């Protein structure tokens, strides 16, 4: 059954899904790799569509897969599919340009974080709605972090108390993200980094252990376990 998005919602979610996913090994583009028998992108979109504030979802697909992705997602939710770019930043910009009038909050979400719960989507959106310009979900860094120099020589131990692991969706006031992309120079892999360059304050909200990024075969195996456990 196709999910219905909220016509009165104030959130548009951009999903850059044009990456090859080289670290996952050879095969289809990463967003189309299977998790529990379904593509990562299907899992991600299904959870985004379940978030009550979401008005629009725009997916930036590989150029050669636009029609296939549109057909794939049609039974899941009413999604706009556009051709992505060679770099993530270009894909986000293409998706942003396709957002219709209405939504004032823009979230950018990695399809590779396929098990991100709708509650995290709502948490990020609520923080933007409450007046923050840019919001990222984060988790504390639990490993000891070393700074390493040439020859793999340890230079020192980093104080992890001030460090956070960043997840998606990242949330922005629409005008803030649009201005950041319009002024973008060097390509970045993180939209919060773009707005930071514009001097915009980026705030944090608690992330989710289920928002793990599926990048390597081990991550995929972990996601399979989480999915089987009801994630």
């Amino acid at each position: 059954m196709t999910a219905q998005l909220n016509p009165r919602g104030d959130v548009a979610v951009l999903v850059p899904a044009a990456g090859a996913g080289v670290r996952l090994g050879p095969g289809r583009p990463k967003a189309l790799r299977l998790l529990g028998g379904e593509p990562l992108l299907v899992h991600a979109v299904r959870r985004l569509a379940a978030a009550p504030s979401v008005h629009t979802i725009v997916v930036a697909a590989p150029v050669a897969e636009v029609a296939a992705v549109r057909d794939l997602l049609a039974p899941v939710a009413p999604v706009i599919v556009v051709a992505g770019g060679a770099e993530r930043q270009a894909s986000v910009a293409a998706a942003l340009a396709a957002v219709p009038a209405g939504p004032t909050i823009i979230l950018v979400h990695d399809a590779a974080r396929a098990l991100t719960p709708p509650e995290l989507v709502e948490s990020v959106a609520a923080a933007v709605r409450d007046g923050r310009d840019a919001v990222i979900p984060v988790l504390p860094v639990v490993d000891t972090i070393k700074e390493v120099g040439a020859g793999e020589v340890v230079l020192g131990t980093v104080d992890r108390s001030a460090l956070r692991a960043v997840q998606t969706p990242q949330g922005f006031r629409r005008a803030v993200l649009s201005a950041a992309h319009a002024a973008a120079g060097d390509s970045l892999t993180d939209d919060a980094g773009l707005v930071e360059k514009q001097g915009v304050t980026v705030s944090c909200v608690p992330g989710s252990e289920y928002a793990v990024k599926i990048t390597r075969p081990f991550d995929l195996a972990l996601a399979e376990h989480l999915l089987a456990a009801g994630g």
Side-chain angles (χ1 to χ4, degrees), residues 6-129:
N6 182 1
R8 297 184 178 180
D10 59 354
V11 174
V13 188
L14 316 181
V15 185
V22 175
R23 285 174 288 180
L24 259 182
R28 300 197 72 189
K30 180 163 66 172
L32 302 180
R33 305 291 181 94
L34 297 184
L35 168 64
E38 292 184 305
L40 299 178
L41 183 59
V42 168
H43 288 282
V45 168
R46 183 179 293 127
R47 286 160 175 76
L48 293 171
S53 296
V54 174
H55 175 283
T56 300
I57 299 173
V58 184
V59 173
V63 174
E65 303 276 0
V66 170
V69 168
R70 190 175 288 122
D71 291 343
L72 175 71
L73 295 177
V76 183
V79 174
I80 300 169
V81 182
V82 300
E87 303 289 341
R88 183 182 189 278
Q89 189 170 306
S91 292
V92 173
L96 181 60
V99 175
T104 56
I105 298 171
I106 305 293
L107 306 187
V108 184
H109 185 54
D110 295 331
R113 298 185 188 273
L115 299 183
T116 299
E119 293 79 10
L120 184 57
V121 176
E122 288 298 303
S123 175
V124 173
V128 179
R129 195 176 296 119

Side-chain angles (χ1 to χ4, degrees), residues 168-193:
T168 69
Q170 298 183 354
F172 310 90
R173 285 198 302 111
R174 185 171 183 166
V176 167
L177 186 61
S178 295
H181 274 272
D186 296 337
S187 181
L188 296 177
T189 59
D190 174 73
D191 290 277

